[in-house]
Amino acid sequence: MESPARPAPVPTALLYYVAFSQLLGLAVVAMTGTWLGVYRGGIAWESALQFNVHPLCMIIGLVFLQGDALLVYRVFRNEAKRTTKILHGLLHLFAFVIALVAQSSRDPRLRPGLVAVFDYHRKEGYADLYSLHSWCGILVFVLFFVQWLVGFSFFLFPGASFSLRSRYRPQHVFLGGAIFLLSVGTALLGLKEALLFELGTKYSKFEPEGVLANVLGLLLAAFGAVVLYILTRADWKRPLQAEEQALSMDFKTLTEGDSPSSQ
Amino acid sequence: MESPARPAPVPTALLYYVAFSQLLGLAVVAMTGTWLGVYRGGIAWESALQFNVHPLCMIIGLVFLQGDALLVYRVFRNEAKRTTKILHGLLHLFAFVIALVAQSSRDPRLRPGLVAVFDYHRKEGYADLYSLHSWCGILVFVLFFVQWLVGFSFFLFPGASFSLRSRYRPQHVFLGGAIFLLSVGTALLGLKEALLFELGTKYSKFEPEGVLANVLGLLLAAFGAVVLYILTRADWKRPLQAEEQALSMDFKTLTEGDSPSSQ
């Protein structure tokens, strides 16, 4: 019997799966860039090309970086918990900022500078936030923001008690995974929207753009699945470090009276 | 300390969550019916209305019934494992048959009766299986079918050894959850497709059909999330029954030499 407090080696299979997830994630980002570059005229902050900032930044922020932020506890198994937490929080922060940039390319009211609001030439009859993609997107944004704030104040801010943290942790973990999956789903809806708007009936003729985007969609789903697999495999969970182990034992002794494990 | 072999009561919170999931699932089915009835002329096996069989049956089979099939191990916690397994397998079988009916309404080659093939009036230039929705759908079908066959031969057919079952179980559980989530995602893509094809630019004017379908989409995502929450909560997992407990102990003793728990 080994004590779980001793630094355990990273399981080899975990390393392969993480490497595979990174390959998939990079392929998704590269393919999004290719799609926008080859079929949508590329990316620029000005003119109509500004809209292309949206899919690329969303894929980088809310898919790739968010996925990687969830994996840090599996990859950095033996580093101090606090360091890993800070990395987790920072990656989410980067993801959020990049997503905000992405959104600002869509919605000038979010763009830095008030002038941009007047800059906006609204197409006649065009409404904001009417589609399922946008509804899911707003939901992701709100949940992501609330989750980050609550996570920060519970786990990084020194105020929260150990007991409160222990009770909130499983909810935080589940909600984090759910927000990530909803992000992937929202990206798929957005991709579909972009294809149907632009290609229309040509989509059904196996246009190269449609095929490329379909492959991109499958890769997106695969990235989500591999990240989910790594997160849910019980034997790949981060082992408790020495000091966490001691705290956890104390806590168990203290609370054994009022929260029986059989409940 | 209680022995886990004693029938444990179903946790109250689990019951509430399961009830909530059923409400959501029924709301999704009812809303799909409403959408098709009010805005798409209802359902019939003949004429153009035949296409409306597809979304309704897919929602009933691959979303609602598949979700419920995953929940049986949480709900029937104290029944014999074999009975629960059979229920799990049967619910999946029903889901699959209903999905096949749904698919046959789309693709006449799958419809019972060869005549139906010649019956099909292919619109000029219309291709099958070009969209991301259809690609994801095929993936779901193939994975679902393989998962069912492998699951049946490992867990219900008496041939597989206990050791083999134990090794395959976590993969089966993960893949089952992933297929369910992919089914929900594919349904969302299909819904979006149906909206953009039919409503076109009217979608952006907050047409009642668009708003109803968006709400339906959010409910679908919520059903997926609640089922996932019930499945992943560690303290809601099905407790081992007396005979399983004994087997599991024997197995541990037998294999302790070659598969250390620290690996």
Side-chain angles (χ1 to χ4, degrees), chain A residues 2 130 132 192-193 214 262, chain B residues 2 130 192-193 203 214:
Chain A
E2 277 189 305
Y130 63 87
L132 183 55
K192 186 102 200 190
E193 205 170 74
N214 285 0
S262 62
Chain B
E2 276 188 304
Y130 64 87
K192 185 102 199 189
E193 205 170 74
Y203 189 22
N214 285 0

Side-chain angles (χ1 to χ4, degrees), chain A residues 13-27:
Chain A
L14 170 59
L15 285 180
Y16 284 123
Y17 270 87
V18 169
F20 183 49
S21 74
Q22 297 312 291
L23 275 178
L24 276 175
L26 289 173

Side-chain angles (χ1 to χ4, degrees), chain A:
Chain A
M1 283 277 284
E2 277 189 305
S3 149
R6 245 209 287 168
V10 183
T12 318
L14 170 59
L15 285 180
Y16 284 123
Y17 270 87
V18 169
F20 183 49
S21 74
Q22 297 312 291
L23 275 178
L24 276 175
L26 289 173
V28 164
V29 172
M31 217 157 166
T32 308
T34 309
W35 167 51
L36 296 169
V38 174
Y39 298 106
R40 301 282 165 127
I43 284 168
W45 194 253
E46 291 306 313
S47 81
L49 298 181
Q50 190 173 303
F51 286 91
N52 291 345
V53 175
H54 175 82
L56 188 68
C57 282
M58 283 299 182
I59 290 288
I60 293 174
L62 284 186
V63 175
F64 188 56
L65 276 183
Q66 189 181 183
D68 277 9
L70 303 187
L71 295 181
V72 295
Y73 292 109
R74 300 295 177 280
V75 177
F76 303 103
R77 307 166 73 75
N78 299 311
E79 283 68 19
K81 187 74 175 265
R82 201 174 164 77
T83 319
T84 320
K85 275 185 194 175
I86 291 173
L87 183 61
H88 178 77
L90 275 180
L91 276 174
H92 272 110
L93 193 64
F94 287 152
F96 194 67
V97 169
I98 291 175
L100 273 182
V101 171
Q103 201 46 44
S104 72
S105 76
R106 276 301 214 203
D107 184 348
R109 285 167 305 183
L110 294 171
R111 222 182 295 160
L114 250 177
V115 183
V117 180
F118 307 105
D119 221 30
Y120 190 52
H121 302 296
R122 189 171 294 255
K123 286 173 199 147
E124 201 174 320
Y126 176 87
D128 287 322
L129 304 175
Y130 63 87
S131 75
L132 183 55
H133 169 68
S134 63
W135 288 27
C136 288
I138 293 168
L139 190 63
V140 164
F141 255 71
V142 171
L143 290 176
F144 191 105
F145 188 62
V146 171
Q147 166 92 341
W148 196 92
L149 281 185
V150 178
F152 180 81
S153 44
F154 269 67
F155 298 124
L156 276 171
F157 213 66
S161 73
F162 189 82
S163 128
L164 215 58
R165 286 181 183 187
S166 297
R167 245 172 266 169
Y168 170 56
R169 184 174 298 110
Q171 322 297 329
H172 182 80
V173 169
F174 173 78
L175 196 60
I179 293 171
F180 169 67
L181 291 176
L182 190 58
S183 305
V184 172
T186 306
L188 289 174
L189 287 176
L191 184 65
K192 186 102 200 190
E193 205 170 74
L195 286 177
L196 289 175
F197 277 151
E198 191 77 13
L199 289 177
T201 50
K202 278 198 289 176
Y203 190 20
S204 69
K205 314 242 176 168
F206 289 97
E207 286 278 307
E209 178 178 354
V211 174
L212 180 111
N214 285 0
V215 174
L216 171 57
L218 291 183
L219 285 176
L220 256 171
F223 177 70
V226 173
V227 169
L228 194 67
Y229 182 75
I230 297 171
L231 292 178
T232 51
R233 237 182 97 155
D235 54 338
W236 287 352
K237 294 235 185 301
R238 186 177 185 276
L240 283 179
Q241 301 300 311
E243 74 275 28
E244 303 160 30
Q245 181 80 353
L247 260 171
S248 169
M249 288 306 240
D250 287 353
F251 178 65
K252 232 182 193 160
T253 321
L254 278 166
T255 56
E256 208 135 66
D258 60 3
S259 72
S261 60
S262 62
Q263 184 40 275

Side-chain angles (χ1 to χ4, degrees), chain A residues 174, chain B residues 12-30 59-60 63-76 91 180 184 216 218-232 236:
Chain A
F174 173 78
Chain B
T12 318
L14 170 60
L15 286 180
Y16 283 123
Y17 270 86
V18 170
F20 183 49
S21 74
Q22 298 312 292
L23 276 178
L24 275 175
L26 290 173
V28 165
V29 172
I59 290 289
I60 294 174
V63 175
F64 188 56
L65 275 183
Q66 190 182 182
D68 277 8
L70 303 186
L71 295 180
V72 295
Y73 291 108
R74 300 296 177 280
V75 176
F76 302 103
L91 276 174
F180 169 67
V184 172
L216 170 56
L218 290 183
L219 285 176
L220 255 170
F223 177 70
V226 173
V227 169
L228 193 67
Y229 183 75
I230 297 171
L231 292 178
T232 52
W236 288 351

